[in-house]
């Protein structure tokens, strides 16, 4: 089938490429370990990675536009695509695409990141595309939606009326890895393959307790002391720490966003990690929960349509929007 759009999710560690058809459907998908931190940062290095990921698609469909989201548009990426202010819709992102002109072939259009200004500014790159991919398939655009994107830097996003209105970042995943890998806490932890549900839930319980109100800096050391006193096994320590940190994240998220128990919450991301968050959200009393498949390809199509790179309606020719730059 004919390629209508080549879409890229180009992050820190990996590069995912999608060949999309006339209705935005995924015809082919590839994943390569060619994130920006695996490259030398040179123009030629990015070109080689792009050719390795989708060069054959480009040669077979030289007229197909290309669009990319993620860290490829950061200051450490190929070209910096400056942030667009929240709140915003997909159309604002489409109107602010950054063009990387190439020596041969179509230019690469890069999705800008999103910034939330204030006393403590916050940013995202790539997650906004997932959010708009999810919203594009959401039939109830009028209802406020809380979207969680668990990961190294977890994002909690509020969306309403098809717009991304507010978000906050929690460095839960990276802190978890750092604590186990580079502090005294890791000395008593024993790596295992099984998930200790009781230890995970114990961590959640501590995060919600009176002691937990003192914050994670006052509770994380318990992941060591409970092992030293024999109340927790070394094999269970990592899951206890995971529950503790996720519990603190959810406690802070509820303080910031103040969602009622009936709030509709959608999680996007790795299914194993999202399963932990769904467990934790149920423990915190939330009732309307669901997991959504990865939505990057749908989001890139939606943003490309807003930019005029592909038609909003299948069968129409695409005309580039000159608002892109």
């Amino acid at each position: 089938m004919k390629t209508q759009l080549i879409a890229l999710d180009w992050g820190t560690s990996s590069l995912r490429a999608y060949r999309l058809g006339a209705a935005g459907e995924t015809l082919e998908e590839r994943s390569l370990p060619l994130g920006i931190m695996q490259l030398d940062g040179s123009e030629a290095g990015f070109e080689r990675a792009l050719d390795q990921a989708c060069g054959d698609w480009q040669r077979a469909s030289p007229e197909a536009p290309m669009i990319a989201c993620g860290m490829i548009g950061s200051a450490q990426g190929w070209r910096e695509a400056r942030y667009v202010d929240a709140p915003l819709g997909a159309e604002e992102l489409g109107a602010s695409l950054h063009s990387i002109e190439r020596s041969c072939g179509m230019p690469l259009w890069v999705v800008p990141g999103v910034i939330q200004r204030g006393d403590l500014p916050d940013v995202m790159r790539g997650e906004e595309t997932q959010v708009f991919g999810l919203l594009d398939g959401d039939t109830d655009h009028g209802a406020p939606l809380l979207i969680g994107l668990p990961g190294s830097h977890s994002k909690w996003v509020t969306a309403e009326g098809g717009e991304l209105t507010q978000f906050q970042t929690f460095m839960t995943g990276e802190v978890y890895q750092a604590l186990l890998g580079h502090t005294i806490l890791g000395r008593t932890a024993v790596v295992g393959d099984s998930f200790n549900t009781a230890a995970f839930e114990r961590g959640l319980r501590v995060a919600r307790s009176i002691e937990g109100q003192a914050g994670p800096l006052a509770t994380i050391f318990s992941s060591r002391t409970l092992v030293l006193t024999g109340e927790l096994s070394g094999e269970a320590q990592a899951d206890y720490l995971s529950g503790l940190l996720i519990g603190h994240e959810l406690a802070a998220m509820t303080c910031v966003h103040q969602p009622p128990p009936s709030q509709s919450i959608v999680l996007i991301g790795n299914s194993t990690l999202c399963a932990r968050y769904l467990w934790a959200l149920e423990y915190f009393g939330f009732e309307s929960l669901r997991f959504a498949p990865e939505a990057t390809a749908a989001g890139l199509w939606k943003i490309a349509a807003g930019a005029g790179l592909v038609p909003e309606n299948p069968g129409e020719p695409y005309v580039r929007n000159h608002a892109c730059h």
Side-chain angles (χ1 to χ4, degrees), residues 98-305:
H98 181 84
S99 174
I100 299 177
E101 299 298 329
R102 302 167 55 236
S103 57
C104 60
M106 296 290 276
L108 177 64
W109 296 94
V110 180
V111 179
V114 176
I115 185 167
Q116 181 173 271
R117 301 189 188 276
D119 293 338
L120 298 176
D122 206 343
V123 297
M124 64 169 68
R125 280 195 189 275
E127 293 91 352
E128 75 294 320
T129 302
Q130 292 243 51
V131 167
F132 286 115
L134 172 70
L135 294 179
D136 191 47
D138 186 20
T139 56
D140 191 6
H141 280 185
L145 188 63
L146 184 59
I147 304 167
L149 300 103
S152 296
H153 299 167
S154 296
K155 307 286 184 182
W156 285 95
V157 179
T158 302
E160 188 168 5
E163 285 198 338
L164 187 162
T165 58
Q166 181 188 5
F167 66 95
Q168 187 169 22
T169 302
F170 295 86
M171 291 182 60
T172 308
E174 188 168 356
V175 168
Y176 171 78
Q177 294 294 339
L179 289 173
L180 284 182
H182 301 284
T183 75
I184 192 68
L185 301 184
R187 298 296 179 91
T188 47
V190 178
V191 178
D193 295 327
S194 60
F195 174 50
N196 191 312
T197 56
F200 180 77
E201 190 165 304
R202 184 173 186 172
L204 294 176
R205 187 166 64 250
V206 171
R208 293 194 74 191
S209 69
I210 294 176
E211 292 86 354
Q213 292 178 14
L217 292 180
T219 59
I220 55 176
F221 195 59
S222 66
S223 69
R224 175 175 169 83
T225 57
L226 288 171
V227 175
L228 295 177
T229 57
E231 297 177 62
L232 194 69
S233 69
E235 290 81 3
Q237 184 180 352
D239 288 323
Y240 169 79
L241 182 61
S242 173
L244 186 63
L245 291 175
I246 290 174
H248 279 299
E249 176 186 329
L250 295 187
M253 180 275 289
T254 56
C255 180
V256 172
H257 294 278
Q258 298 184 334
S262 60
Q263 170 68 55
S264 180
I265 300 176
V266 183
L267 296 182
I268 309 174
N270 175 274
S271 59
T272 302
L273 183 57
C274 283
R276 293 193 178 215
Y277 274 77
L278 287 171
W279 184 306
L281 286 162
E282 287 183 354
Y283 187 84
F284 271 66
F286 291 102
E287 304 160 356
S288 180
L289 307 172
R290 61 187 171 98
F291 169 69
E294 193 264 14
T296 303
L300 285 167
W301 178 270
K302 177 69 175 177
I303 294 167

Side-chain angles (χ1 to χ4, degrees), residues 83-98:
Y83 295 107
V84 179
D85 287 63
L88 79 165
E91 295 76 13
E92 284 92 334
L93 286 177
S96 302
L97 297 184
H98 181 84

